[in-house]
Amino acid sequence: MASIDEGTSEFVIADIACDDAWLSVRSGDAPVLENWC
């Protein structure tokens, strides 16, 4: 699961199957999905 935290402008990726498994980066530094496809 991924989302943008508008309060901090961070891109957050979380593994909902595991507690406390997440990471965040500034939205400007987040990878562009089109570049991965």
Side-chain angles (χ1 to χ4, degrees):
M1 174 187 300
S3 68
I4 299 290
D5 181 341
E6 293 181 10
T8 61
S9 292
E10 290 184 331
F11 181 68
V12 179
I13 300 173
D15 179 354
I16 60 172
C18 184
D19 289 341
D20 297 323
W22 60 272
L23 62 93
S24 67
V25 295
R26 292 191 182 273
S27 58
D29 296 331
V32 177
L33 183 58
E34 289 178 351
N35 294 341
W36 288 30
C37 298

Short mmCIF file of all heavy atoms in Angstrom, two decimals:
data_model
loop_
_atom_site.label_atom_id
_atom_site.label_comp_id
_atom_site.label_asym_id
_atom_site.label_seq_id
_atom_site.Cartn_x
_atom_site.Cartn_y
_atom_site.Cartn_z
N MET A 1 0.85 -1.15 0.00
CA MET A 1 0.00 0.00 0.00
C MET A 1 0.91 1.23 0.00
O MET A 1 1.94 1.24 0.66
CB MET A 1 -0.89 0.00 1.24
CG MET A 1 -1.71 1.24 1.41
SD MET A 1 -2.61 1.33 2.97
CE MET A 1 -3.62 -0.12 2.87
N ALA A 2 0.52 2.24 -0.73
CA ALA A 2 1.30 3.47 -0.78
C ALA A 2 0.36 4.67 -0.81
O ALA A 2 -0.74 4.59 -1.33
CB ALA A 2 2.20 3.48 -2.00
N SER A 3 0.83 5.77 -0.24
CA SER A 3 0.04 7.00 -0.27
C SER A 3 0.95 8.20 -0.03
O SER A 3 2.09 8.05 0.39
CB SER A 3 -1.08 6.97 0.77
OG SER A 3 -0.52 7.03 2.07
N ILE A 4 0.42 9.38 -0.29
CA ILE A 4 1.11 10.63 0.00
C ILE A 4 0.55 11.18 1.30
O ILE A 4 -0.66 11.34 1.44
CB ILE A 4 0.90 11.67 -1.12
CG1 ILE A 4 1.45 11.17 -2.45
CG2 ILE A 4 1.52 13.01 -0.73
CD1 ILE A 4 2.95 11.11 -2.51
N ASP A 5 1.43 11.44 2.26
CA ASP A 5 1.03 12.08 3.51
C ASP A 5 1.07 13.58 3.25
O ASP A 5 2.14 14.18 3.17
CB ASP A 5 1.99 11.70 4.62
CG ASP A 5 1.62 12.32 5.95
OD1 ASP A 5 0.86 13.31 5.97
OD2 ASP A 5 2.10 11.83 6.99
N GLU A 6 -0.09 14.20 3.05
CA GLU A 6 -0.16 15.61 2.69
C GLU A 6 0.37 16.52 3.79
O GLU A 6 0.83 17.62 3.51
CB GLU A 6 -1.58 15.98 2.31
CG GLU A 6 -2.04 15.29 1.04
CD GLU A 6 -3.45 15.67 0.64
OE1 GLU A 6 -4.01 16.60 1.24
OE2 GLU A 6 -3.99 15.01 -0.26
N GLY A 7 0.33 16.08 5.03
CA GLY A 7 0.81 16.92 6.12
C GLY A 7 2.32 17.10 6.11
O GLY A 7 2.83 18.14 6.50
N THR A 8 3.04 16.09 5.62
CA THR A 8 4.51 16.15 5.60
C THR A 8 5.08 16.07 4.19
O THR A 8 6.28 16.11 4.02
CB THR A 8 5.10 15.00 6.43
OG1 THR A 8 4.71 13.76 5.85
CG2 THR A 8 4.67 15.06 7.86
N SER A 9 4.21 15.95 3.18
CA SER A 9 4.64 15.78 1.77
C SER A 9 5.58 14.59 1.61
O SER A 9 6.56 14.66 0.89
CB SER A 9 5.30 17.05 1.25
OG SER A 9 4.35 18.07 1.14
N GLU A 10 5.27 13.50 2.30
CA GLU A 10 6.07 12.29 2.18
C GLU A 10 5.28 11.19 1.49
O GLU A 10 4.08 11.08 1.66
CB GLU A 10 6.53 11.79 3.55
CG GLU A 10 7.55 12.69 4.19
CD GLU A 10 8.06 12.15 5.51
OE1 GLU A 10 7.33 11.43 6.19
OE2 GLU A 10 9.20 12.46 5.84
N PHE A 11 5.98 10.39 0.70
CA PHE A 11 5.42 9.22 0.05
C PHE A 11 5.65 8.06 1.00
O PHE A 11 6.78 7.78 1.38
CB PHE A 11 6.14 8.98 -1.29
CG PHE A 11 5.62 7.80 -2.06
CD1 PHE A 11 4.36 7.80 -2.61
CD2 PHE A 11 6.42 6.69 -2.26
CE1 PHE A 11 3.89 6.72 -3.35
CE2 PHE A 11 5.96 5.60 -2.99
CZ PHE A 11 4.70 5.62 -3.53
N VAL A 12 4.59 7.39 1.43
CA VAL A 12 4.68 6.33 2.43
C VAL A 12 4.30 5.00 1.80
O VAL A 12 3.26 4.88 1.15
CB VAL A 12 3.74 6.61 3.62
CG1 VAL A 12 3.82 5.50 4.65
CG2 VAL A 12 4.05 7.96 4.24
N ILE A 13 5.17 3.99 1.97
CA ILE A 13 4.90 2.63 1.51
C ILE A 13 4.78 1.75 2.75
O ILE A 13 5.65 1.79 3.61
CB ILE A 13 6.03 2.11 0.61
CG1 ILE A 13 6.18 3.00 -0.61
CG2 ILE A 13 5.75 0.67 0.19
CD1 ILE A 13 7.39 2.66 -1.47
N ALA A 14 3.71 0.97 2.83
CA ALA A 14 3.48 0.12 4.00
C ALA A 14 3.12 -1.30 3.58
O ALA A 14 2.45 -1.51 2.58
CB ALA A 14 2.36 0.69 4.86
N ASP A 15 3.59 -2.26 4.37
CA ASP A 15 3.21 -3.67 4.20
C ASP A 15 2.12 -3.94 5.22
O ASP A 15 2.39 -4.07 6.41
CB ASP A 15 4.42 -4.57 4.44
CG ASP A 15 4.08 -6.05 4.31
OD1 ASP A 15 2.89 -6.39 4.15
OD2 ASP A 15 5.01 -6.87 4.38
N ILE A 16 0.86 -4.00 4.77
CA ILE A 16 -0.26 -4.14 5.70
C ILE A 16 -0.32 -5.53 6.33
O ILE A 16 -1.08 -5.75 7.26
CB ILE A 16 -1.60 -3.78 5.03
CG1 ILE A 16 -1.88 -4.67 3.84
CG2 ILE A 16 -1.60 -2.31 4.63
CD1 ILE A 16 -3.26 -4.50 3.24
N ALA A 17 0.48 -6.47 5.85
CA ALA A 17 0.48 -7.82 6.41
C ALA A 17 1.43 -7.94 7.59
O ALA A 17 1.46 -8.97 8.26
CB ALA A 17 0.86 -8.84 5.33
N CYS A 18 2.19 -6.89 7.87
CA CYS A 18 3.20 -6.96 8.94
C CYS A 18 3.21 -5.65 9.73
O CYS A 18 3.32 -4.58 9.14
CB CYS A 18 4.56 -7.22 8.30
SG CYS A 18 5.89 -7.45 9.48
N ASP A 19 3.09 -5.74 11.05
CA ASP A 19 3.09 -4.54 11.88
C ASP A 19 4.42 -3.80 11.76
O ASP A 19 5.49 -4.41 11.71
CB ASP A 19 2.88 -4.92 13.35
CG ASP A 19 1.47 -5.38 13.64
OD1 ASP A 19 0.57 -5.09 12.82
OD2 ASP A 19 1.26 -6.04 14.67
N ASP A 20 4.35 -2.49 11.74
CA ASP A 20 5.51 -1.60 11.72
C ASP A 20 6.43 -1.81 10.52
O ASP A 20 7.62 -1.50 10.58
CB ASP A 20 6.32 -1.73 13.02
CG ASP A 20 5.51 -1.29 14.23
OD1 ASP A 20 4.73 -0.33 14.10
OD2 ASP A 20 5.66 -1.91 15.29
N ALA A 21 5.90 -2.33 9.41
CA ALA A 21 6.70 -2.51 8.19
C ALA A 21 6.32 -1.40 7.21
O ALA A 21 5.36 -1.53 6.46
CB ALA A 21 6.46 -3.88 7.59
N TRP A 22 7.04 -0.28 7.26
CA TRP A 22 6.75 0.84 6.38
C TRP A 22 8.01 1.66 6.18
O TRP A 22 8.98 1.54 6.92
CB TRP A 22 5.63 1.71 6.94
CG TRP A 22 5.95 2.29 8.28
CD1 TRP A 22 5.72 1.71 9.49
CD2 TRP A 22 6.57 3.55 8.55
NE1 TRP A 22 6.16 2.53 10.51
CE2 TRP A 22 6.69 3.66 9.94
CE3 TRP A 22 7.04 4.57 7.76
CZ2 TRP A 22 7.26 4.77 10.55
CZ3 TRP A 22 7.61 5.67 8.37
CH2 TRP A 22 7.70 5.77 9.75
N LEU A 23 8.02 2.49 5.16
CA LEU A 23 9.08 3.45 4.95
C LEU A 23 8.49 4.68 4.29
O LEU A 23 7.41 4.64 3.72
CB LEU A 23 10.23 2.88 4.11
CG LEU A 23 9.91 2.43 2.68
CD1 LEU A 23 10.18 3.57 1.71
CD2 LEU A 23 10.76 1.23 2.33
N SER A 24 9.19 5.80 4.40
CA SER A 24 8.70 7.02 3.77
C SER A 24 9.87 7.79 3.19
O SER A 24 11.00 7.70 3.66
CB SER A 24 7.93 7.88 4.77
OG SER A 24 8.81 8.38 5.77
N VAL A 25 9.58 8.55 2.14
CA VAL A 25 10.55 9.45 1.51
C VAL A 25 9.81 10.72 1.15
O VAL A 25 8.59 10.72 1.01
CB VAL A 25 11.19 8.84 0.24
CG1 VAL A 25 12.01 7.62 0.57
CG2 VAL A 25 10.16 8.51 -0.81
N ARG A 26 10.54 11.81 0.99
CA ARG A 26 9.91 13.05 0.54
C ARG A 26 9.28 12.79 -0.82
O ARG A 26 9.84 12.09 -1.65
CB ARG A 26 10.92 14.18 0.46
CG ARG A 26 11.42 14.60 1.81
CD ARG A 26 12.22 15.90 1.65
NE ARG A 26 12.77 16.31 2.93
CZ ARG A 26 12.11 17.05 3.82
NH1 ARG A 26 10.90 17.45 3.56
NH2 ARG A 26 12.67 17.38 4.95
N SER A 27 8.11 13.36 -1.06
CA SER A 27 7.39 13.07 -2.31
C SER A 27 8.20 13.44 -3.54
O SER A 27 8.11 12.77 -4.56
CB SER A 27 6.03 13.78 -2.32
OG SER A 27 6.20 15.17 -2.17
N GLY A 28 9.03 14.46 -3.47
CA GLY A 28 9.87 14.84 -4.60
C GLY A 28 10.96 13.83 -4.90
O GLY A 28 11.47 13.76 -6.02
N ASP A 29 11.34 13.01 -3.90
CA ASP A 29 12.37 11.99 -4.07
C ASP A 29 11.80 10.61 -4.37
O ASP A 29 12.55 9.67 -4.63
CB ASP A 29 13.23 11.88 -2.80
CG ASP A 29 14.00 13.15 -2.51
OD1 ASP A 29 14.34 13.87 -3.48
OD2 ASP A 29 14.28 13.43 -1.33
N ALA A 30 10.49 10.49 -4.33
CA ALA A 30 9.84 9.18 -4.55
C ALA A 30 10.02 8.74 -6.00
O ALA A 30 10.04 9.57 -6.91
CB ALA A 30 8.36 9.27 -4.22
N PRO A 31 10.16 7.43 -6.22
CA PRO A 31 10.31 6.94 -7.60
C PRO A 31 9.02 7.15 -8.39
O PRO A 31 7.93 7.16 -7.84
CB PRO A 31 10.60 5.45 -7.41
CG PRO A 31 10.08 5.11 -6.07
CD PRO A 31 10.18 6.35 -5.24
N VAL A 32 9.16 7.28 -9.69
CA VAL A 32 8.03 7.44 -10.59
C VAL A 32 7.65 6.07 -11.11
O VAL A 32 8.48 5.36 -11.68
CB VAL A 32 8.39 8.39 -11.76
CG1 VAL A 32 7.24 8.50 -12.74
CG2 VAL A 32 8.79 9.75 -11.23
N LEU A 33 6.40 5.67 -10.90
CA LEU A 33 5.94 4.33 -11.27
C LEU A 33 6.17 4.04 -12.74
O LEU A 33 6.57 2.95 -13.12
CB LEU A 33 4.48 4.15 -10.90
CG LEU A 33 3.88 2.78 -11.16
CD1 LEU A 33 4.65 1.71 -10.40
CD2 LEU A 33 2.42 2.75 -10.79
N GLU A 34 5.96 5.03 -13.61
CA GLU A 34 6.14 4.83 -15.05
C GLU A 34 7.57 4.40 -15.39
O GLU A 34 7.80 3.68 -16.35
CB GLU A 34 5.79 6.09 -15.82
CG GLU A 34 4.32 6.41 -15.83
CD GLU A 34 4.00 7.70 -16.57
OE1 GLU A 34 4.95 8.43 -16.93
OE2 GLU A 34 2.82 7.96 -16.77
N ASN A 35 8.55 4.84 -14.59
CA ASN A 35 9.94 4.47 -14.84
C ASN A 35 10.23 3.01 -14.47
O ASN A 35 11.23 2.46 -14.88
CB ASN A 35 10.88 5.38 -14.06
CG ASN A 35 10.81 6.82 -14.54
OD1 ASN A 35 10.35 7.09 -15.63
ND2 ASN A 35 11.25 7.74 -13.72
N TRP A 36 9.36 2.40 -13.68
CA TRP A 36 9.55 1.01 -13.24
C TRP A 36 8.84 0.03 -14.14
O TRP A 36 9.11 -1.16 -14.07
CB TRP A 36 9.04 0.86 -11.82
CG TRP A 36 9.89 1.51 -10.78
CD1 TRP A 36 10.67 2.60 -10.93
CD2 TRP A 36 10.05 1.08 -9.44
NE1 TRP A 36 11.29 2.90 -9.76
CE2 TRP A 36 10.93 1.99 -8.82
CE3 TRP A 36 9.52 0.05 -8.69
CZ2 TRP A 36 11.31 1.87 -7.49
CZ3 TRP A 36 9.89 -0.06 -7.37
CH2 TRP A 36 10.77 0.83 -6.79
N CYS A 37 7.90 0.49 -14.96
CA CYS A 37 7.09 -0.40 -15.80
C CYS A 37 7.74 -0.62 -17.15
O CYS A 37 8.37 0.17 -17.70
CB CYS A 37 5.69 0.16 -15.98
SG CYS A 37 4.80 0.30 -14.43
#
